[in-house]
Amino acid sequence: MEKWILLGVVAVGFASGLPVAFALGLGCAVYMLLVGTIDITIVAQRMIFGIDSFLLLAVPFFILAAEVMNTTGTTRRIFQFAHAVVGHVPGGLAHVNVVNSMIFAGMSGSAIADAAGVGMMEVEAMEGAGYPRPFAAALSAATSTIGPIIPPSIPMVIYGSMAQVSVGALFLGGVIPGAIMGLAMMGLVYLQAVRRGFPREARVTFREFLTVFWKAIPPLLAPAILLGGIYTGFFTPTEAAAVAVLYALVLGMVVYREIPPHEIPRLALRVVENTAMIMFIVTTASVFGWILAREQIPQAIAAFFLEITRNPVVMLLILNVLFLILGMFMETLAIMLIFLPIVIPIVQALGIDLVHFGVVFVLNVMIGLLTPPFGMLLFLMSGLTKLPMAVILQELVPYIVVLVGCLFLITLVPPLVMFLPGLGR
Amino acid sequence: MTRHAARAARVRLWEGTVRLVEETVPSLLVLLMFVVVIYQIFMRDVLTRPPTWADELARYLYIWMVFLGAALVSRRRAQIRMDFVPRRLPARARTVLLLVHEVAILFFLLYGLWSGLAFFAFYRKIPSPAMEVPSGYLVAAVPVACVLLLIHHLGQAAALIRSLRAR
């Protein structure tokens, strides 16, 4: 009985717009009071120990590294590099947008941060070159979803800490799917460019290319340091994230001299706010998770799902459809924190690799950032560009279709995810 | 000093204190965390003398940063929520819904404070595994955060009531 009240309170809280962290906390508090016999200290205990993990320290460090890179001219250098590489193809600046997001993804682990950081710059550049503003906004939102697929990735860190799998393996697993997403979107851009007559940019000379490439080398090296450090076992993901911050700081303060020391407090404060937004939800979600386990809800739901099918491929397809639907209505992190404890036992029972599932899952919930009525990237781009969401959505639909295609491709062809992590085993 | 000026001075003092606790302190914690992790890497990989306390210290700083930061997020009304229902409501109904939310939040925070204080009382003297400092320094984060959050959400509830009355 109490568990139904708990789930009801959380569901009503979510739907009515109560902050996610408080909806979970309220449900748990009501449950504890109704059951009455549970040790009162459990809530505080779970809130603290739910985030007491060295791995989760990677979250603020990845945010800080991206903030520092954003503050310097790094963002501009990457854009110029992408421009030199693909600008001359039909739909030039739209391709630049995709490539720019792919490279930026190698420094940042959050789709929202990518869209907030470079989205507006991309839109303005494209609009200036004669692209329709809604198209530019939709494309910038769609390409931001690559951010957490190409490492680093905040959702993968959280998934890794919940599923107890190697974050290094998840990171490597995201490389090929991220590249596929980028290429697939460029394919679509090309088709649209030809059909709608989008402009292309002048081809740069080899000399210009070298200049731009030379300037882009430091930011291009960031993901190499990160992945190399984790892959060789030299760093844990958290340490690699701290090293990425150090690298970005040295670049910004010593090499480019674009970050004055008095900017540091402002950057740190943004990290505090963005980290606390995410991790405070993790605190109350871990109380919620404790109650779910106490009520044996994951086992009950797993039994229900395993009744439907025991075929791993069918199960993955069912879960994908389920999470795509949830992604339309729920916030990404809330989906992860609430449904992962329930789904992971199912995935394990069928012998599906947790790294494969992790990458599939993260890509799935990233699509949820684009789909209405609740799509954070859609909200964000609509807010930035002052365009109504429906207008952006019209241009966005083909990209959502392409991304869903990528999702089912990596679901059905596991080597696309597992090849790189498998190399080291 | 007039009563008005005295009041303004109190408000400024209060705002300064809040910013110190919710902005300056957690910002310093982030930077300190960064230094501790870099120091740990350096000691382990370069001097091959890994410090035993660094991992734990970094985690404890992190926990405090998150809980103090949570109060900042609430003060700025930036907690993540799915607001498509309130956005579609007429103004007055939305205000009422938000007030109901504030009451729900206050209820949770009071429970959290109670739980946090009970946990603190039970756990505060137990030494931490690596640094062997009393765990009270860690677990005080929950009641402290709950008090800060209670203050902000009481303020936000009061503002909602005022705006209901005004209409």
Side-chain angles (χ1 to χ4, degrees), chain A residues 214-246:
Chain A
W214 175 250
K215 283 188 186 158
I217 285 179
L220 289 172
L221 273 181
I225 295 173
L226 212 75
L227 273 186
I230 298 175
Y231 195 58
T232 54
F234 209 64
F235 304 135
T236 64
T238 301
E239 291 170 349
V243 170
V245 172
L246 187 65

Side-chain angles (χ1 to χ4, degrees), chain A residues 298-299 302 306 339-351 354:
Chain A
Q299 289 91 325
L306 293 171
F339 291 99
L340 277 180
I342 295 172
V343 173
I344 286 168
I346 304 175
V347 172
Q348 271 176 320
L350 295 181
L354 282 176

Side-chain angles (χ1 to χ4, degrees), chain A residues 39-339:
Chain A
D39 179 3
I40 169 88
T41 67
I42 285 291
V43 169
Q45 260 186 59
R46 290 311 315 151
M47 283 178 76
I48 285 195
F49 296 130
I51 55 167
D52 183 17
S53 138
F54 191 71
L55 177 58
L56 291 176
L57 262 78
V59 174
F61 291 155
F62 283 139
I63 296 175
L64 183 55
E67 285 284 338
V68 173
M69 290 273 189
N70 251 336
T71 307
T72 63
T74 311
T75 322
R76 198 180 60 242
R77 285 184 192 92
I78 294 175
F79 192 84
Q80 282 164 346
F81 173 68
H83 193 272
V85 178
V86 290
H88 57 86
V89 184
L93 270 180
H95 292 290
V96 172
N97 186 327
V98 181
V99 172
N100 190 41
S101 292
M102 287 170 75
I103 302 176
F104 203 74
M107 302 185 310
S108 146
S110 148
I112 302 294
D114 287 12
V118 296
M120 204 51 208
M121 181 186 77
E122 292 170 341
V123 171
E124 276 165 2
M126 285 176 69
E127 205 183 12
Y131 289 84
R133 193 174 171 86
F135 173 75
L139 186 65
S140 299
T143 56
S144 299
T145 58
I146 303 176
I149 308 300
I150 291 182
S153 165
I154 291 170
M156 284 185 193
V157 169
I158 292 173
Y159 176 89
S161 82
M162 293 182 76
Q164 310 280 326
V165 288
S166 152
V167 172
L170 289 165
F171 278 9
L172 282 170
V175 174
I176 295 176
I180 292 175
M181 290 161 77
L183 290 174
M185 284 195 266
M186 286 173 76
L188 179 56
V189 164
Y190 186 83
L191 291 178
Q192 290 181 314
V194 171
R195 194 162 43 92
R196 295 164 69 174
F198 288 152
R200 57 169 90 181
E201 307 291 300
R203 188 187 281 273
V204 295
T205 64
F206 188 64
R207 223 189 143 77
E208 283 167 337
F209 176 80
L210 281 185
T211 322
V212 173
F213 177 61
W214 175 250
K215 283 188 186 158
I217 285 179
L220 289 172
L221 273 181
I225 295 173
L226 212 75
L227 273 186
I230 298 175
Y231 195 58
T232 54
F234 209 64
F235 304 135
T236 64
T238 301
E239 291 170 349
V243 170
V245 172
L246 187 65
Y247 179 71
L249 279 177
V250 170
L251 272 187
M253 300 185 73
V254 184
V255 181
Y256 298 145
R257 294 169 189 265
E258 280 167 340
I259 306 181
H262 62 81
E263 274 288 292
I264 299 291
R266 193 185 61 86
L267 293 177
L269 187 61
R270 286 181 58 103
V271 173
V272 170
E273 190 170 1
N274 287 316
T275 307
M277 254 185 217
I278 300 174
M279 297 311 298
F280 187 54
I281 300 181
V282 178
T283 67
T284 54
S286 83
V287 186
F288 183 76
W290 184 88
I291 297 176
L292 286 188
R294 180 180 186 274
E295 290 281 353
Q296 303 195 327
I297 291 173
Q299 289 91 325
I301 294 181
F304 172 78
F305 268 86
L306 293 171
E307 197 84 340
I308 301 174
T309 179
R310 288 197 148 266
N311 180 323
V313 178
V314 177
M315 184 63 81
L316 278 175
L317 293 176
I318 294 176
L319 291 178
N320 265 324
V321 172
L322 205 65
F323 283 117
L324 283 174
I325 296 171
L326 281 170
M328 294 167 70
F329 300 98
M330 279 182 71
E331 200 276 322
T332 313
L333 186 62
I335 297 180
M336 296 189 70
L337 294 171
I338 289 173
F339 291 99

Side-chain angles (χ1 to χ4, degrees), chain A residues 120 377-387 389 392:
Chain A
M120 204 51 208
L377 281 174
L378 199 54
F379 293 167
L380 182 75
M381 287 317 295
S382 162
L384 286 175
T385 59
K386 307 280 183 288
L387 289 168
M389 284 197 286
I392 299 178

